[in-house]
Structure formats: structure tokens, C-alpha cells
Amino acid sequence: MNQFATLLAVTLAWFSISGAVGAEDDLLARAKAIHERVIVIDSHVDIPPDFGTEAYDPAAAKAPRQKLDLPGMEEGGLDAAFFVAFVPQRERSPAGYARAAADAFTKLAAIRRMTDTQHPESIGLALSASDVRRLHGERRRAALIGIENGYAVGRSLALLDIFHDLGARYFGLLHNGHNDIGDSAVPDQHKGETDAEHGGLSEFGRAAVARANALGIVVDISHAADTTALDAIAASRAPVIASHSSVRAVHDHPRNLSDDVLQALRDKGGVIQIVAYDSYLRALPAEKRAALNALWEETGLHSAADWARLSDQEKDAYYARRYEIDRRWPKGSVADLVDHIDRAVELVGTDHVGIASDFNGGGGILGWDDAAETLNVTVELVRRGYNEEEIAKLWGGNLLRVMEAAEAVAAAAREGG
């Protein structure tokens, strides 16, 4: 190659690299501008039992083991989140129900402590869709409350009224393991559960859905078996959500929604909130799955309830080993998350899809592993060609519409006596 040809090749390569860098800078700038204008809502963030105490102040940056805090929300442009009072499945007995209610009240009180007394200047409690918009206009973060696992009400729907009075605005019917409301997508094999106990939603479950409708609480079908999900969608008078699930057609996992459930959800006006949970987004490498199974077995983690018995030292040891597993076999990425968003949009339309992290409950992927990285999701959406109107729907507009519909159903019920 002569000197001129070499110079030409170097010049063309420089322009190619410069053009690519310039295009990426432009994409990032467009994504940032959109991200700042839309209301960005994460529909599912778990909280620990010590949330809002001296052990875990949500205003302290990077609280130990936690993926969401108020500084992270600010940095990532996360305007609102459903802080979730998760109750693990235990024995279905009077003692078990009493403990479940106590666990739920502890977490509900912690969320209210954050918004009412600890940090009201930074984050306010949202009891309605209009509250979210108001708080956004005031440049404050919005905290919404969700209940995960209908086991929290035991056999007493009066508890659902109390949870509503304390601020709960969605009600997750199931978690892993069947409960009195219906069948779970993931039966508890260690308890010898079969695939179906009720054949879908139980009669008590139907009463729970009806009571949620009357109160204006959105029904959440994440963790429900297909039969239970379809029954709940049909029984509900308001649109239904899946607060943290993904698409089974992309990755065949029982926690993901089938096309039939997605279409029923759409037809009722509901929304699937695609979740940043690695093993729901893609098939894990066999070696990583084996390493995780060994870790869980050695730690004795057969259900979410087992986590509570671990000491802080045991939890630290678990996280250290989990970090090494994730370092050796990296997690999926934001691109994997948006693959599921793309497929859901293709199947049910942009009006019926949203976004969730499941932070502190197992969620977190490369590019969106804590709240501070939330912008990266918007960048990938812009890269895929979504416009601002569509991104506004995905990041919260659709979820607020469902909340408004649930509020309208409850108002109509009150007016009708």
C-alpha cells in the first residue's frame, strides 16, 4: 500500500469512528431529554424489614445490599416506584396468618415513615395517579405501595381494607407456593405441592378480587399460574397488571406470561410490567445454574421465608459468593430486557407494556443493576426506535391509566351503594 492509500485508509477509519461516536452522543442526548420529560415509574421494588430504621435509611446513598435509595432515584431519573410490602409464604394456619399480617404492617409502616416523617421534602406518598403527577410537578419523588402475596390477608379480607387505608394500591395475589387465593406459577416442591390445588382462582380468591375492585386496588397477577391469572382477569371489573413478569415466548419460564394471558390482559385494558430479572429474561448458562443451585442448597434457601433466618454474617457470605458467580458468568443486559419489551409490544401493543426492576427481590441486570442506572433503559428504547410518546407510556403512562381505571371502578361502586 503506497503512502497515499495508507493516509486515505486512516482518514476513512477516523471518520467512521468519529461518526459512530457522534451518533452515540446524539442518541444519549435524545434519551436524556426524553427521560427528563416523561414520568419514570418502577412498578416493583422490594424493601427489607429494617427499611426506614437506623439500620437502613433510604436517604443514605448505597445502603448495604440495597439497589434503590433516594440518591439513586435522583441520579437515575427514577421519578416514582412501587415500594412493595412482600410477605413470604409460610404455613396456612392462624399462627402463620398472624405473622404474615404483622410482617406486612411492619413494612407498610416503614414506607409511611419514609414519606411522612423521615424525608417528606424528597419523596411523598402517592395514593392515586393524580398524586404521582402532582408530586412530579413539585419535583419530588413519589412512593406508591404494593402488597406482594395474598397470603398477607390470610382468610380475612378486612385486612385488605386496612392495607388500602395505609396506602396500598396494588395487591399481588400470589408468590411462590399456592395460597388460599389461588394456584401459584411456582408450586412449593419442598412442601410437596402439586401443580394445581384450586384449579385457578379459589372462591376466596374471587372475593378478594371483588374487594380489591371495590377499594380501587389494582389486582396483580405476577406469580400466578396461568389458570389463576386468566380467572383473575376475567373476574376483575378493572384492568389488571402483572407488576413484574416477562414474556414466555421469548424465554420459557413459569414466571413469564403466556401469549394467552398477555392477550387476556390486553383485552381487559391491563399492563405487563417487563422485569429486569436475569433468569426470567434468558436461559442461564448450565454452569451458572448449577453454581446457584449449590449456593442455595448449602445456604438452605428453599423459599423466600428462609432468608429471614440468616444472620447478617451469613447474608454477607451469601452475597460474596453470589458476586463471584455473577462475575464469572455475567448477568443478562438491558438489551435482553428490551427484547422482551419488543415482543410484548408486538403482541399486545405499546398501551399494555411497562417496566419493572424487582430490585432487592432478585432483580438487576447489566446496565440496570440499581436505580442510579435507570437512564440506560431509556437509551436502549431510543436505540430501538421508540419515540417519546411510546416511552412515556412504557415508563409509567400505561400504569397510571390502569390506576385511574381502578379508581373509577371503585368510585362507581361507592355511588351505586
Side-chain angles (χ1 to χ4, degrees):
M1 182 180 291
N2 60 37
Q3 186 175 7
F4 174 77
T6 300
L7 179 61
L8 179 62
V10 170
T11 302
L12 290 174
W14 183 87
F15 275 115
S16 176
I17 294 170
S18 177
V21 170
E24 192 68 18
D25 287 346
D26 177 65
L27 184 148
L28 179 59
R30 287 189 290 122
K32 281 183 175 179
I34 291 171
H35 198 75
E36 290 173 1
R37 287 192 293 264
V38 304
I39 300 178
V40 179
I41 305 175
D42 181 346
S43 63
H44 197 91
V45 176
D46 284 297
I47 64 167
D50 59 358
F51 185 86
T53 68
E54 291 183 1
Y56 176 29
D57 180 354
K62 304 298 180 187
R65 309 190 191 101
Q66 304 306 316
K67 293 179 180 287
L68 184 142
D69 48 48
L70 299 184
M73 291 181 75
E74 179 75 27
E75 181 179 348
L78 181 59
D79 299 307
F82 268 93
F83 291 78
V84 173
F86 161 66
V87 174
Q89 189 81 10
R90 292 188 171 93
E91 289 187 7
R92 285 151 64 183
S93 66
Y97 297 145
R99 181 172 180 179
D103 288 346
F105 283 130
T106 296
K107 291 187 174 183
L108 290 167
I111 299 166
R112 293 298 299 260
R113 189 180 307 117
M114 173 183 68
T115 60
D116 298 358
T117 62
Q118 285 183 311
H119 306 293
E121 74 289 346
S122 301
I123 188 165
L125 181 68
L127 300 175
S128 64
S130 62
D131 281 347
V132 175
R133 296 190 176 95
R134 173 182 55 79
L135 288 163
H136 185 254
E138 295 172 359
R139 304 191 68 80
R140 285 196 290 161
R141 308 293 158 188
L144 302 108
I145 298 177
I147 301 288
E148 183 175 20
N149 197 0
Y151 174 68
V153 301
R155 295 285 303 176
S156 174
L157 291 183
L159 283 170
L160 194 54
D161 290 61
I162 299 172
F163 294 158
H164 174 267
D165 290 345
L166 291 172
R169 290 300 181 267
Y170 77 60
F171 181 56
L173 302 178
L174 275 299
H175 194 254
N176 297 335
H178 308 318
N179 63 24
D180 291 289
I181 285 174
D183 296 335
S184 171
V186 183
D188 191 334
Q189 296 179 348
H190 292 277
K191 293 181 179 177
E193 291 183 352
T194 60
D195 287 345
E197 176 184 332
H198 307 284
L201 197 66
S202 70
E203 286 306 309
F204 177 71
R206 292 178 187 279
V209 169
R211 189 61 196 151
N213 288 164
L215 292 167
I217 297 177
V218 176
V219 172
D220 172 20
I221 60 168
S222 282
H223 283 284
D226 288 359
T227 50
T228 310
L230 289 168
D231 284 350
I233 293 168
S236 179
R237 290 177 288 123
V240 167
I241 66 168
S243 69
H244 59 303
S245 296
S246 290
V247 181
R248 200 175 298 171
V250 179
H251 176 49
D252 189 4
H253 190 287
R255 275 284 285 105
N256 291 341
L257 301 194
S258 68
D259 285 4
D260 287 347
V261 173
L262 278 167
Q263 289 164 342
L265 194 73
R266 173 201 61 198
D267 293 346
K268 185 54 70 83
V271 181
I272 176 175
Q273 300 288 127
I274 304 296
V275 65
Y277 199 108
D278 190 20
S279 61
Y280 302 165
L281 296 177
R282 65 190 187 120
L284 299 185
E287 299 86 352
K288 181 170 188 176
R289 174 59 68 190
L292 289 171
N293 287 340
L295 173 59
W296 295 330
E297 190 64 33
E298 291 168 24
T299 312
L301 295 178
H302 302 303
S303 71
D306 294 327
W307 182 255
R309 64 172 175 74
L310 299 183
S311 67
D312 285 345
Q313 292 77 11
E314 289 171 322
K315 290 176 181 177
D316 287 340
Y318 170 88
Y319 278 115
R321 288 186 60 186
R322 180 61 193 259
Y323 173 82
E324 285 303 313
I325 291 171
D326 287 336
R327 184 187 61 79
R328 185 171 182 183
W329 297 284
K331 294 180 179 180
S333 69
V334 168
D336 295 309
L337 175 75
V338 181
D339 285 345
H340 281 257
I341 291 173
D342 285 346
R343 180 64 181 92
V345 167
E346 177 186 341
L347 184 68
V348 297
T350 316
D351 290 339
H352 303 283
V353 183
I355 303 170
S357 69
D358 201 8
F359 287 151
N360 305 330
I365 53 178
L366 291 177
W368 196 29
D369 203 35
D370 61 39
E373 297 183 325
T374 303
L375 171 64
N376 291 336
V377 180
T378 303
V379 171
E380 185 64 20
L381 291 171
V382 173
R383 191 189 311 278
R384 300 284 179 104
Y386 289 92
N387 62 36
E388 182 166 341
E389 180 183 3
E390 292 167 330
I391 291 171
K393 291 178 180 180
L394 295 171
W395 259 133
N398 292 333
L399 189 57
L400 294 177
R401 171 181 53 77
V402 169
M403 288 182 65
E404 288 169 336
E407 292 163 16
V409 167
R414 288 192 297 271
E415 292 172 3

